[in-house]
Amino acid sequence: MDDVRRPVAVFDSGMGGVSVLRELVRLMPEEDYLYYGDSANAPYGTRSVDDVRALTLRRIGALHARGIKAAVIACNTATSAAVDLLRRTFSDIPIIGMEPAVKPAVLAHPHGRVLVLATPLTLREEKFNALLKQYASLAEIVKIPCPELVEFVERGDLGSMAVYDYLEQRLGAYRGKADAAVLGCTHFPFLRRAIAQVLGNETELFDGGAGTARETARQLSARGTRAEAGHVGTVLIENSREDSQEIALTRRLLQSDL
Ligand code: DGL
């Protein structure tokens, strides 16, 4: 297949990566996308690193065999566990990973208090702790593991009382007391409204979706594999649960107004 016509794979443990897919489609509507959510094995964030590495390697291997031209690991957890291994294993295509948007949050709020909401695995991995070390002297950075938020999004629950109760319990103490909050898991932008409401208007929210889309565009351009302008791209959605409800919810998230 012609290089420019091969699809860009977008992978997540479930539906969270759709928050990145939305940005990719907005920036490069001419590309064809193949979105794969591993909902049957979600959440990844409470699994062991070895488990997440094996699941990610197997899935990207299967997508690679289908002729993708790039893989976006639209999951902070899978990136922390497996991105280096993926780059070594599939060195013929760009592998674009994610990291919590600590840098833009700290630079926008020097000496402020920056909360980082992510999965337990992301927050304990070496990648995140190296990032933390880099910015720790510039702001007070507070790690807040929120694994249950992933499961709310997987169920399509973006704002029930249970969501607000959970957020109140994790974040209520910071209401009006944080300058920024980093949504360090791709599921969390779907709960942006609820998170903003619990933290209050003074807290600026950051996520890595748009930056990841720009980085993907840069990498495709550098390899000369961007689709021709004017081509109308497609989005194919697949999920390890092989359940039509899963696909319908993924489409609904793709079209939702964040
Ligand atoms: N969406 C993933 C992330 O960005 C994690 C979700 C999970 O725990 O499965 O970290």
Side-chain angles (χ1 to χ4, degrees), residues 11-17 19-20 35 38 41-47 52 73-80 98 118-122 146-147 150-151 154 183-188:
F11 170 76
D12 180 45
S13 62
M15 295 170 196
S19 64
V20 181
Y35 182 86
D38 191 13
N41 294 303
Y44 277 15
T46 48
R47 288 178 176 273
V52 172
I73 311 304
C75 177
N76 293 266
T77 308
T79 299
S80 342
M98 299 203 65
T119 68
L121 190 150
T122 298
C146 304
V150 173
E151 297 182 60
E154 287 292 305
L183 308 182
C185 166
T186 53
H187 282 70
F188 299 173

Side-chain angles (χ1 to χ4, degrees), residues 99-115:
E99 67 180 12
V102 170
K103 180 179 173 183
V106 169
L107 295 182
H109 297 279
H111 311 297
R113 177 183 278 165
V114 175
L115 312 180

Side-chain angles (χ1 to χ4, degrees), residues 122-136:
T122 298
L123 293 176
R124 80 172 177 259
E125 269 309 281
E126 199 183 308
K127 260 201 186 331
F128 179 73
N129 287 295
L131 185 68
L132 198 64
K133 220 185 244 167
Q134 219 178 321
Y135 294 100

Side-chain angles (χ1 to χ4, degrees), residues 190-228:
F190 293 111
L191 298 166
R192 177 182 285 273
R193 259 192 221 119
I195 293 169
Q197 209 166 316
V198 171
L199 285 173
N201 292 335
E202 302 81 1
T203 306
E204 191 179 358
L205 303 185
F206 291 82
D207 76 76
T212 303
R214 285 194 299 273
E215 178 58 21
T216 306
R218 260 195 299 276
Q219 297 224 22
L220 293 177
S221 297
R223 292 180 188 233
T225 56
R226 288 277 295 263
E228 321 87 315

Side-chain angles (χ1 to χ4, degrees), residues 134-145:
Q134 219 178 321
Y135 294 100
S137 63
L138 303 177
E140 181 198 346
I141 301 173
V142 185
K143 299 186 199 183
I144 307 186

Side-chain angles (χ1 to χ4, degrees), residues 145-176:
C146 304
E148 288 83 352
L149 290 184
V150 173
E151 297 182 60
F152 283 120
V153 175
E154 287 292 305
R155 290 195 293 269
D157 179 356
L158 308 185
S160 69
M161 280 300 286
V163 169
Y164 279 91
D165 284 349
Y166 178 77
L167 287 173
E168 187 60 40
Q169 184 199 317
R170 303 302 284 157
L171 305 176
Y174 296 102
R175 186 171 15 259

